Amino acid sequence: MLDVVIVGSGPIGLFAGFYAGMRKLNGCIIESLPYVGGQLTTLYKDKEIFDIPTQTSIKAKDVVNQVYMQYKQFINEIPLYLNNELYSIKKIEKGYEILTSKQKIECKTILFATGNGNFTPRKLTIEGNDAENILYKIDSIEIFKNKKVVVLGGGDSALDWGVMLLENRIDTTIIHRRNEFRAHEKTIEKFKNKKGIIKTPYEVIKLILKNNLVQEIIIKNKETEKEETITADYILVNYGFLPSKNKFNEININVEQGSFIVNSDMSTSCDGIYACGNAVTYKGKLKTIAVGFGEAATAITAINHYIFPNKNISNIYSSSAIKKED
Ligand SMILES: Cc1cc2nc3c(=O)[nH]c(=O)nc-3n(C[C@H](O)[C@H](O)[C@H](O)COP(=O)(O)OP(=O)(O)OC[C@H]3O[C@@H](n4cnc5c(N)ncnc54)[C@H](O)[C@@H]3O)c2cc1C
């Protein structure tokens, strides 16, 4: 039976994994996505962050790389299982039995680092939206080689994709319903300099399909109402993500608007279940990475006390706990 199962491999889940390893607990991290980093990887990997302690500024993806490297020191003690969504939790005699999309695990404690929940892409809501060449993420740039790609959206990820496609010499058009973009000014400039085509303020009003593949897109200028038909081999939709809130009703845990209500040691209303990071709420809670890191350390320390009530855990400093070999 594992000491702890950490649910979620956002920055806070990864740091909790590191801390659990450092505190000599055994366990695992389960993550529903095929990658680590949570919101930082999914929503804003190229954005600069300015409020990570000791960093004047650091890109989101570099925060993820750093905290992943830190965690990786303990990957044998706390392995990471990607594409593993937590489905259900059952109370058993000495802890919990959890069922994920891939396995059954027994553990003494659970630490939720589930952030705002899973992310599902906001869909294109128009007839024909299930066509095979409508995509919501880029798995491999190779499939777009020598193809014509239309990107829908005006945020950072849409423009980042646009620039990446142009850098791979792929014919790219961005369609956005407003003249103003939410994306970073520099990325928009980059896209324009690389001769990307921008069509604003346009909305997609019809898809023309053949054999379940979009062949043509009919778009309408929102100011002039003029319609235009453009061709595309692929449509990449980037209308953002919808968080699906945490829902673990089966264990009857206290939540407020989808966030776990926690005590000062990060324990929830269920014995042996803890939570940290964006997944929690309490008076004065700040949903930032720096605060979440602290909560992860607090939660793992409390879990250690919970499992080993008689163990002396007075040595709280990593400078004493970790011995580096020269
Ligand atoms: C655009 C933007 C800019 C931001 N800028 C800053 C900033 O400058 N500074 C700052 O401090 N914060 C910033 N934040 C907030 C910051 O991203 C969050 O505080 C941080 O991501 C919280 O980390 P987390 O690990 O708690 O949750 P998340 O990053 O949300 O990660 C949670 C992980 O849990 C996984 N998960 C959820 N449910 C399950 C399940 N049932 N089974 C398995 N896995 C599951 C998810 O897939 C996800 O990977 C920003 C957020 C956004 C959107």
Side-chain angles (χ1 to χ4, degrees), residues 7-13 30-33 37-40 43-44 47 49-51 84-86 113-119 246 248 276-279 287-290:
V7 189
S9 73
I12 311 311
I30 59 168
E31 167 59 57
S32 56
L33 294 170
Q39 296 180 41
L40 288 79
L43 303 177
Y44 63 109
K47 265 196 152 83
I49 302 179
F50 301 92
D51 55 352
N84 244 278
E85 182 175 355
L86 174 62
T114 40
N116 300 338
N118 291 319
F119 302 102
N246 302 305
F248 298 108
C276 57
N278 268 36
K287 295 208 169 186
T288 65
I289 301 160

mmCIF file of all heavy atoms in Angstrom, residues 7-13 30-33 37-40 43-44 47 49-51 84-86 113-119 246 248 276-279 287-290, ligand 1:
data_model
loop_
_atom_site.group_PDB
_atom_site.id
_atom_site.type_symbol
_atom_site.label_atom_id
_atom_site.label_comp_id
_atom_site.label_asym_id
_atom_site.label_seq_id
_atom_site.Cartn_x
_atom_site.Cartn_y
_atom_site.Cartn_z
ATOM 1 N N VAL A 7 -2.503 13.545 -6.901
ATOM 2 C CA VAL A 7 -3.327 13.635 -8.117
ATOM 3 C C VAL A 7 -3.058 14.980 -8.786
ATOM 4 O O VAL A 7 -3.353 16.025 -8.225
ATOM 5 C CB VAL A 7 -4.829 13.494 -7.795
ATOM 6 C CG1 VAL A 7 -5.641 13.359 -9.084
ATOM 7 C CG2 VAL A 7 -5.081 12.295 -6.888
ATOM 8 N N GLY A 8 -2.482 14.937 -9.988
ATOM 9 C CA GLY A 8 -2.177 16.168 -10.732
ATOM 10 C C GLY A 8 -0.684 16.431 -10.797
ATOM 11 O O GLY A 8 0.015 16.317 -9.776
ATOM 12 N N SER A 9 -0.198 16.696 -12.010
ATOM 13 C CA SER A 9 1.232 17.012 -12.149
ATOM 14 C C SER A 9 1.440 18.417 -12.700
ATOM 15 O O SER A 9 2.271 18.663 -13.557
ATOM 16 C CB SER A 9 1.934 15.990 -13.055
ATOM 17 O OG SER A 9 1.546 16.216 -14.405
ATOM 18 N N GLY A 10 0.620 19.354 -12.193
ATOM 19 C CA GLY A 10 0.905 20.769 -12.433
ATOM 20 C C GLY A 10 2.158 21.110 -11.628
ATOM 21 O O GLY A 10 2.770 20.215 -11.015
ATOM 22 N N PRO A 11 2.555 22.379 -11.576
ATOM 23 C CA PRO A 11 3.762 22.718 -10.814
ATOM 24 C C PRO A 11 3.675 22.284 -9.350
ATOM 25 O O PRO A 11 4.657 21.840 -8.766
ATOM 26 C CB PRO A 11 3.844 24.256 -10.928
ATOM 27 C CG PRO A 11 2.479 24.699 -11.357
ATOM 28 C CD PRO A 11 1.909 23.569 -12.150
ATOM 29 N N ILE A 12 2.452 22.351 -8.803
ATOM 30 C CA ILE A 12 2.304 22.074 -7.371
ATOM 31 C C ILE A 12 2.366 20.570 -7.105
ATOM 32 O O ILE A 12 3.007 20.118 -6.148
ATOM 33 C CB ILE A 12 0.991 22.699 -6.817
ATOM 34 C CG1 ILE A 12 0.875 24.174 -7.256
ATOM 35 C CG2 ILE A 12 0.888 22.545 -5.309
ATOM 36 C CD1 ILE A 12 2.097 25.036 -7.018
ATOM 37 N N GLY A 13 1.735 19.781 -7.979
ATOM 38 C CA GLY A 13 1.807 18.319 -7.838
ATOM 39 C C GLY A 13 3.245 17.833 -7.990
ATOM 40 O O GLY A 13 3.695 16.946 -7.251
ATOM 41 N N ILE A 30 -0.395 10.785 -10.338
ATOM 42 C CA ILE A 30 -1.194 10.429 -11.516
ATOM 43 C C ILE A 30 -1.662 11.719 -12.194
ATOM 44 O O ILE A 30 -1.976 12.715 -11.531
ATOM 45 C CB ILE A 30 -2.379 9.506 -11.181
ATOM 46 C CG1 ILE A 30 -3.315 10.162 -10.159
ATOM 47 C CG2 ILE A 30 -1.907 8.164 -10.686
ATOM 48 C CD1 ILE A 30 -4.627 9.425 -10.030
ATOM 49 N N GLU A 31 -1.658 11.697 -13.507
ATOM 50 C CA GLU A 31 -1.992 12.895 -14.288
ATOM 51 C C GLU A 31 -2.853 12.488 -15.474
ATOM 52 O O GLU A 31 -2.513 11.563 -16.200
ATOM 53 C CB GLU A 31 -0.684 13.560 -14.759
ATOM 54 C CG GLU A 31 -0.843 14.633 -15.821
ATOM 55 C CD GLU A 31 -1.721 15.802 -15.393
ATOM 56 O OE1 GLU A 31 -1.423 16.447 -14.379
ATOM 57 O OE2 GLU A 31 -2.738 16.063 -16.074
ATOM 58 N N SER A 32 -3.954 13.191 -15.664
ATOM 59 C CA SER A 32 -4.857 12.806 -16.757
ATOM 60 C C SER A 32 -4.316 13.199 -18.129
ATOM 61 O O SER A 32 -4.604 12.541 -19.117
ATOM 62 C CB SER A 32 -6.245 13.411 -16.546
ATOM 63 O OG SER A 32 -6.151 14.798 -16.410
ATOM 64 N N LEU A 33 -3.505 14.248 -18.182
ATOM 65 C CA LEU A 33 -2.981 14.701 -19.476
ATOM 66 C C LEU A 33 -1.760 13.876 -19.887
ATOM 67 O O LEU A 33 -1.150 13.218 -19.055
ATOM 68 C CB LEU A 33 -2.574 16.186 -19.375
ATOM 69 C CG LEU A 33 -3.711 17.191 -19.154
ATOM 70 C CD1 LEU A 33 -3.152 18.572 -18.839
ATOM 71 C CD2 LEU A 33 -4.614 17.251 -20.376
ATOM 72 N N GLY A 37 2.885 19.811 -16.038
ATOM 73 C CA GLY A 37 2.941 21.285 -16.050
ATOM 74 C C GLY A 37 1.602 21.973 -15.908
ATOM 75 O O GLY A 37 1.552 23.187 -15.737
ATOM 76 N N GLY A 38 0.505 21.219 -15.998
ATOM 77 C CA GLY A 38 -0.828 21.788 -15.761
ATOM 78 C C GLY A 38 -1.100 23.015 -16.615
ATOM 79 O O GLY A 38 -0.827 23.028 -17.821
ATOM 80 N N GLN A 39 -1.599 24.060 -15.977
ATOM 81 C CA GLN A 39 -1.979 25.280 -16.708
ATOM 82 C C GLN A 39 -0.798 25.918 -17.431
ATOM 83 O O GLN A 39 -0.953 26.504 -18.500
ATOM 84 C CB GLN A 39 -2.534 26.326 -15.732
ATOM 85 C CG GLN A 39 -3.808 25.914 -15.057
ATOM 86 C CD GLN A 39 -4.312 26.976 -14.097
ATOM 87 O OE1 GLN A 39 -4.272 28.164 -14.365
ATOM 88 N NE2 GLN A 39 -4.805 26.533 -12.954
ATOM 89 N N LEU A 40 0.391 25.797 -16.828
ATOM 90 C CA LEU A 40 1.556 26.478 -17.421
ATOM 91 C C LEU A 40 1.877 25.915 -18.796
ATOM 92 O O LEU A 40 2.210 26.657 -19.728
ATOM 93 C CB LEU A 40 2.787 26.352 -16.500
ATOM 94 C CG LEU A 40 2.727 27.201 -15.226
ATOM 95 C CD1 LEU A 40 1.851 26.521 -14.188
ATOM 96 C CD2 LEU A 40 4.093 27.454 -14.678
ATOM 97 N N LEU A 43 -1.793 26.364 -21.039
ATOM 98 C CA LEU A 43 -2.366 27.666 -21.375
ATOM 99 C C LEU A 43 -1.361 28.762 -21.699
ATOM 100 O O LEU A 43 -1.688 29.703 -22.403
ATOM 101 C CB LEU A 43 -3.259 28.153 -20.225
ATOM 102 C CG LEU A 43 -4.406 27.232 -19.816
ATOM 103 C CD1 LEU A 43 -5.155 27.804 -18.633
ATOM 104 C CD2 LEU A 43 -5.365 27.035 -20.977
ATOM 105 N N TYR A 44 -0.133 28.700 -21.130
ATOM 106 C CA TYR A 44 0.707 29.881 -21.345
ATOM 107 C C TYR A 44 2.205 29.574 -21.275
ATOM 108 O O TYR A 44 2.984 30.293 -20.670
ATOM 109 C CB TYR A 44 0.294 31.003 -20.383
ATOM 110 C CG TYR A 44 0.458 30.749 -18.898
ATOM 111 C CD1 TYR A 44 1.442 31.401 -18.166
ATOM 112 C CD2 TYR A 44 -0.374 29.879 -18.201
ATOM 113 C CE1 TYR A 44 1.586 31.201 -16.804
ATOM 114 C CE2 TYR A 44 -0.245 29.665 -16.851
ATOM 115 C CZ TYR A 44 0.744 30.334 -16.161
ATOM 116 O OH TYR A 44 0.894 30.129 -14.812
ATOM 117 N N LYS A 47 4.765 32.409 -21.889
ATOM 118 C CA LYS A 47 4.606 33.671 -21.157
ATOM 119 C C LYS A 47 5.648 33.789 -20.053
ATOM 120 O O LYS A 47 6.008 32.792 -19.442
ATOM 121 C CB LYS A 47 3.216 33.724 -20.534
ATOM 122 C CG LYS A 47 2.198 34.447 -21.360
ATOM 123 C CD LYS A 47 1.014 34.769 -20.458
ATOM 124 C CE LYS A 47 0.310 35.976 -20.903
ATOM 125 N NZ LYS A 47 -0.589 36.139 -21.798
ATOM 126 N N ILE A 49 6.828 34.800 -16.335
ATOM 127 C CA ILE A 49 6.242 34.907 -14.986
ATOM 128 C C ILE A 49 7.230 35.712 -14.141
ATOM 129 O O ILE A 49 8.437 35.499 -14.215
ATOM 130 C CB ILE A 49 6.021 33.511 -14.359
ATOM 131 C CG1 ILE A 49 5.110 32.677 -15.259
ATOM 132 C CG2 ILE A 49 5.441 33.614 -12.958
ATOM 133 C CD1 ILE A 49 4.834 31.274 -14.745
ATOM 134 N N PHE A 50 6.714 36.631 -13.343
ATOM 135 C CA PHE A 50 7.608 37.528 -12.608
ATOM 136 C C PHE A 50 7.562 37.350 -11.095
ATOM 137 O O PHE A 50 8.285 38.010 -10.373
ATOM 138 C CB PHE A 50 7.240 38.991 -12.961
ATOM 139 C CG PHE A 50 7.366 39.275 -14.437
ATOM 140 C CD1 PHE A 50 6.277 39.125 -15.285
ATOM 141 C CD2 PHE A 50 8.578 39.656 -14.982
ATOM 142 C CE1 PHE A 50 6.393 39.355 -16.648
ATOM 143 C CE2 PHE A 50 8.709 39.889 -16.344
ATOM 144 C CZ PHE A 50 7.616 39.737 -17.183
ATOM 145 N N ASP A 51 6.678 36.454 -10.618
ATOM 146 C CA ASP A 51 6.549 36.349 -9.154
ATOM 147 C C ASP A 51 6.893 34.949 -8.632
ATOM 148 O O ASP A 51 6.281 34.449 -7.692
ATOM 149 C CB ASP A 51 5.132 36.772 -8.704
ATOM 150 C CG ASP A 51 4.017 35.992 -9.402
ATOM 151 O OD1 ASP A 51 4.331 35.227 -10.338
ATOM 152 O OD2 ASP A 51 2.855 36.153 -9.016
ATOM 153 N N ASN A 84 -3.524 9.220 -17.008
ATOM 154 C CA ASN A 84 -4.139 8.454 -15.924
ATOM 155 C C ASN A 84 -5.079 9.364 -15.156
ATOM 156 O O ASN A 84 -4.655 10.081 -14.255
ATOM 157 C CB ASN A 84 -3.037 7.990 -14.963
ATOM 158 C CG ASN A 84 -2.914 6.495 -14.942
ATOM 159 O OD1 ASN A 84 -3.664 5.823 -14.254
ATOM 160 N ND2 ASN A 84 -1.964 5.991 -15.705
ATOM 161 N N GLU A 85 -6.334 9.321 -15.518
ATOM 162 C CA GLU A 85 -7.279 10.213 -14.835
ATOM 163 C C GLU A 85 -7.893 9.548 -13.623
ATOM 164 O O GLU A 85 -8.275 8.377 -13.691
ATOM 165 C CB GLU A 85 -8.380 10.635 -15.811
ATOM 166 C CG GLU A 85 -9.351 11.606 -15.171
ATOM 167 C CD GLU A 85 -10.392 12.136 -16.120
ATOM 168 O OE1 GLU A 85 -10.323 11.821 -17.324
ATOM 169 O OE2 GLU A 85 -11.283 12.854 -15.641
ATOM 170 N N LEU A 86 -7.977 10.267 -12.530
ATOM 171 C CA LEU A 86 -8.621 9.726 -11.344
ATOM 172 C C LEU A 86 -10.117 9.654 -11.587
ATOM 173 O O LEU A 86 -10.758 10.664 -11.891
ATOM 174 C CB LEU A 86 -8.340 10.621 -10.123
ATOM 175 C CG LEU A 86 -9.065 10.243 -8.841
ATOM 176 C CD1 LEU A 86 -8.660 8.865 -8.368
ATOM 177 C CD2 LEU A 86 -8.818 11.258 -7.759
ATOM 178 N N ALA A 113 -3.748 17.727 -6.073
ATOM 179 C CA ALA A 113 -3.102 18.925 -6.624
ATOM 180 C C ALA A 113 -3.696 19.105 -8.018
ATOM 181 O O ALA A 113 -2.996 19.215 -9.009
ATOM 182 C CB ALA A 113 -1.591 18.732 -6.670
ATOM 183 N N THR A 114 -5.029 19.081 -8.035
ATOM 184 C CA THR A 114 -5.760 18.986 -9.309
ATOM 185 C C THR A 114 -6.082 20.343 -9.925
ATOM 186 O O THR A 114 -6.797 20.411 -10.923
ATOM 187 C CB THR A 114 -7.074 18.198 -9.095
ATOM 188 O OG1 THR A 114 -7.647 18.603 -7.840
ATOM 189 C CG2 THR A 114 -6.834 16.713 -9.068
ATOM 190 N N GLY A 115 -5.558 21.415 -9.339
ATOM 191 C CA GLY A 115 -5.781 22.745 -9.915
ATOM 192 C C GLY A 115 -7.248 23.027 -10.114
ATOM 193 O O GLY A 115 -8.089 22.736 -9.267
ATOM 194 N N ASN A 116 -7.565 23.556 -11.288
ATOM 195 C CA ASN A 116 -8.964 23.863 -11.582
ATOM 196 C C ASN A 116 -9.678 22.669 -12.186
ATOM 197 O O ASN A 116 -10.741 22.809 -12.763
ATOM 198 C CB ASN A 116 -9.056 25.047 -12.548
ATOM 199 C CG ASN A 116 -8.422 26.287 -11.966
ATOM 200 O OD1 ASN A 116 -8.284 26.417 -10.754
ATOM 201 N ND2 ASN A 116 -8.006 27.194 -12.817
ATOM 202 N N GLY A 117 -9.076 21.505 -12.153
ATOM 203 C CA GLY A 117 -9.684 20.315 -12.740
ATOM 204 C C GLY A 117 -9.039 19.998 -14.073
ATOM 205 O O GLY A 117 -7.992 20.523 -14.409
ATOM 206 N N ASN A 118 -9.681 19.114 -14.818
ATOM 207 C CA ASN A 118 -9.154 18.774 -16.149
ATOM 208 C C ASN A 118 -9.460 19.887 -17.132
ATOM 209 O O ASN A 118 -10.379 20.649 -16.942
ATOM 210 C CB ASN A 118 -9.814 17.497 -16.654
ATOM 211 C CG ASN A 118 -9.372 16.317 -15.847
ATOM 212 O OD1 ASN A 118 -8.214 16.206 -15.499
ATOM 213 N ND2 ASN A 118 -10.303 15.437 -15.520
ATOM 214 N N PHE A 119 -8.700 19.915 -18.206
ATOM 215 C CA PHE A 119 -8.971 20.923 -19.239
ATOM 216 C C PHE A 119 -9.597 20.259 -20.461
ATOM 217 O O PHE A 119 -9.094 19.260 -20.937
ATOM 218 C CB PHE A 119 -7.674 21.574 -19.702
ATOM 219 C CG PHE A 119 -6.910 22.218 -18.598
ATOM 220 C CD1 PHE A 119 -5.804 21.587 -18.051
ATOM 221 C CD2 PHE A 119 -7.296 23.448 -18.106
ATOM 222 C CE1 PHE A 119 -5.093 22.173 -17.032
ATOM 223 C CE2 PHE A 119 -6.585 24.041 -17.087
ATOM 224 C CZ PHE A 119 -5.483 23.407 -16.539
ATOM 225 N N ASN A 246 -13.390 19.907 -10.109
ATOM 226 C CA ASN A 246 -13.215 18.655 -9.375
ATOM 227 C C ASN A 246 -14.567 18.129 -8.913
ATOM 228 O O ASN A 246 -15.360 18.878 -8.365
ATOM 229 C CB ASN A 246 -12.371 18.904 -8.122
ATOM 230 C CG ASN A 246 -11.043 19.480 -8.490
ATOM 231 O OD1 ASN A 246 -10.306 18.916 -9.279
ATOM 232 N ND2 ASN A 246 -10.727 20.649 -7.924
ATOM 233 N N PHE A 248 -15.706 14.854 -6.808
ATOM 234 C CA PHE A 248 -15.475 13.563 -6.187
ATOM 235 C C PHE A 248 -16.523 13.360 -5.096
ATOM 236 O O PHE A 248 -16.230 13.233 -3.923
ATOM 237 C CB PHE A 248 -14.052 13.491 -5.626
ATOM 238 C CG PHE A 248 -13.019 13.639 -6.701
ATOM 239 C CD1 PHE A 248 -12.273 14.788 -6.797
ATOM 240 C CD2 PHE A 248 -12.832 12.633 -7.636
ATOM 241 C CE1 PHE A 248 -11.340 14.936 -7.819
ATOM 242 C CE2 PHE A 248 -11.903 12.775 -8.656
ATOM 243 C CZ PHE A 248 -11.157 13.929 -8.744
ATOM 244 N N CYS A 276 -3.772 20.820 -2.158
ATOM 245 C CA CYS A 276 -2.912 22.013 -2.202
ATOM 246 C C CYS A 276 -2.980 22.647 -3.590
ATOM 247 O O CYS A 276 -3.473 22.043 -4.543
ATOM 248 C CB CYS A 276 -1.473 21.641 -1.851
ATOM 249 S SG CYS A 276 -0.749 20.364 -2.892
ATOM 250 N N GLY A 277 -2.458 23.862 -3.672
ATOM 251 C CA GLY A 277 -2.412 24.559 -4.963
ATOM 252 C C GLY A 277 -3.761 25.138 -5.345
ATOM 253 O O GLY A 277 -4.598 25.425 -4.491
ATOM 254 N N ASN A 278 -3.975 25.285 -6.638
ATOM 255 C CA ASN A 278 -5.204 25.915 -7.108
ATOM 256 C C ASN A 278 -6.462 25.118 -6.773
ATOM 257 O O ASN A 278 -7.557 25.632 -6.927
ATOM 258 C CB ASN A 278 -5.145 26.117 -8.627
ATOM 259 C CG ASN A 278 -4.592 27.468 -8.988
ATOM 260 O OD1 ASN A 278 -3.696 27.958 -8.314
ATOM 261 N ND2 ASN A 278 -5.085 28.068 -10.040
ATOM 262 N N ALA A 279 -6.287 23.878 -6.341
ATOM 263 C CA ALA A 279 -7.446 23.039 -6.033
ATOM 264 C C ALA A 279 -8.108 23.414 -4.711
ATOM 265 O O ALA A 279 -9.184 22.915 -4.405
ATOM 266 C CB ALA A 279 -7.020 21.567 -5.983
ATOM 267 N N LYS A 287 -4.338 32.197 -5.427
ATOM 268 C CA LYS A 287 -4.138 31.101 -6.390
ATOM 269 C C LYS A 287 -2.903 31.376 -7.244
ATOM 270 O O LYS A 287 -2.997 31.649 -8.452
ATOM 271 C CB LYS A 287 -5.389 30.888 -7.225
ATOM 272 C CG LYS A 287 -6.553 30.406 -6.359
ATOM 273 C CD LYS A 287 -7.563 29.556 -7.102
ATOM 274 C CE LYS A 287 -8.505 28.920 -6.081
ATOM 275 N NZ LYS A 287 -9.435 27.976 -6.604
ATOM 276 N N THR A 288 -1.736 31.356 -6.604
ATOM 277 C CA THR A 288 -0.486 31.563 -7.339
ATOM 278 C C THR A 288 0.443 30.376 -7.099
ATOM 279 O O THR A 288 0.257 29.594 -6.155
ATOM 280 C CB THR A 288 0.248 32.847 -6.889
ATOM 281 O OG1 THR A 288 0.652 32.675 -5.541
ATOM 282 C CG2 THR A 288 -0.608 34.082 -7.037
ATOM 283 N N ILE A 289 1.471 30.306 -7.949
ATOM 284 C CA ILE A 289 2.400 29.173 -7.892
ATOM 285 C C ILE A 289 3.210 29.201 -6.586
ATOM 286 O O ILE A 289 3.362 28.172 -5.917
ATOM 287 C CB ILE A 289 3.336 29.209 -9.121
ATOM 288 C CG1 ILE A 289 2.492 29.148 -10.401
ATOM 289 C CG2 ILE A 289 4.349 28.082 -9.093
ATOM 290 C CD1 ILE A 289 3.197 29.635 -11.649
ATOM 291 N N ALA A 290 3.699 30.401 -6.233
ATOM 292 C CA ALA A 290 4.533 30.514 -5.034
ATOM 293 C C ALA A 290 3.785 30.025 -3.796
ATOM 294 O O ALA A 290 4.326 29.263 -2.981
ATOM 295 C CB ALA A 290 4.981 31.973 -4.844
HETATM 296 C C1 LIG B 1 -2.776 32.840 -18.367
HETATM 297 C C2 LIG B 1 -2.341 32.570 -16.939
HETATM 298 C C3 LIG B 1 -1.279 33.267 -16.394
HETATM 299 C C4 LIG B 1 -0.866 33.001 -15.083
HETATM 300 N N1 LIG B 1 0.192 33.709 -14.572
HETATM 301 C C5 LIG B 1 0.636 33.432 -13.328
HETATM 302 C C6 LIG B 1 1.745 34.137 -12.777
HETATM 303 O O1 LIG B 1 2.306 35.036 -13.406
HETATM 304 N N2 LIG B 1 2.161 33.805 -11.514
HETATM 305 C C7 LIG B 1 1.551 32.819 -10.767
HETATM 306 O O2 LIG B 1 1.996 32.544 -9.655
HETATM 307 N N3 LIG B 1 0.480 32.144 -11.263
HETATM 308 C C8 LIG B 1 0.002 32.435 -12.504
HETATM 309 N N4 LIG B 1 -1.079 31.761 -12.995
HETATM 310 C C9 LIG B 1 -1.771 30.780 -12.111
HETATM 311 C C10 LIG B 1 -0.973 29.462 -12.084
HETATM 312 O O3 LIG B 1 -0.886 28.925 -13.398
HETATM 313 C C11 LIG B 1 -1.656 28.483 -11.136
HETATM 314 O O4 LIG B 1 -1.604 29.027 -9.830
HETATM 315 C C12 LIG B 1 -0.945 27.126 -11.157
HETATM 316 O O5 LIG B 1 -1.056 26.526 -12.433
HETATM 317 C C13 LIG B 1 -1.548 26.183 -10.108
HETATM 318 O O6 LIG B 1 -0.856 24.971 -10.192
HETATM 319 P P1 LIG B 1 -1.543 23.590 -9.750
HETATM 320 O O7 LIG B 1 -0.472 22.551 -9.917
HETATM 321 O O8 LIG B 1 -2.222 23.764 -8.466
HETATM 322 O O9 LIG B 1 -2.718 23.367 -10.821
HETATM 323 P P2 LIG B 1 -2.706 23.170 -12.400
HETATM 324 O O10 LIG B 1 -1.617 23.923 -13.042
HETATM 325 O O11 LIG B 1 -4.106 23.500 -12.820
HETATM 326 O O12 LIG B 1 -2.445 21.613 -12.593
HETATM 327 C C14 LIG B 1 -3.395 20.654 -12.175
HETATM 328 C C15 LIG B 1 -3.118 19.340 -12.875
HETATM 329 O O13 LIG B 1 -3.977 18.338 -12.348
HETATM 330 C C16 LIG B 1 -4.458 17.529 -13.406
HETATM 331 N N5 LIG B 1 -5.719 16.911 -13.013
HETATM 332 C C17 LIG B 1 -6.888 17.547 -12.715
HETATM 333 N N6 LIG B 1 -7.857 16.664 -12.412
HETATM 334 C C18 LIG B 1 -7.287 15.426 -12.512
HETATM 335 C C19 LIG B 1 -7.779 14.096 -12.328
HETATM 336 N N7 LIG B 1 -9.035 13.843 -11.945
HETATM 337 N N8 LIG B 1 -6.918 13.062 -12.531
HETATM 338 C C20 LIG B 1 -5.618 13.276 -12.897
HETATM 339 N N9 LIG B 1 -5.119 14.521 -13.096
HETATM 340 C C21 LIG B 1 -5.928 15.578 -12.898
HETATM 341 C C22 LIG B 1 -4.635 18.509 -14.558
HETATM 342 O O14 LIG B 1 -4.632 17.828 -15.815
HETATM 343 C C23 LIG B 1 -3.404 19.391 -14.382
HETATM 344 O O15 LIG B 1 -2.269 18.910 -15.093
HETATM 345 C C24 LIG B 1 -1.535 32.023 -14.291
HETATM 346 C C25 LIG B 1 -2.605 31.313 -14.848
HETATM 347 C C26 LIG B 1 -3.020 31.581 -16.159
HETATM 348 C C27 LIG B 1 -4.177 30.814 -16.730
#
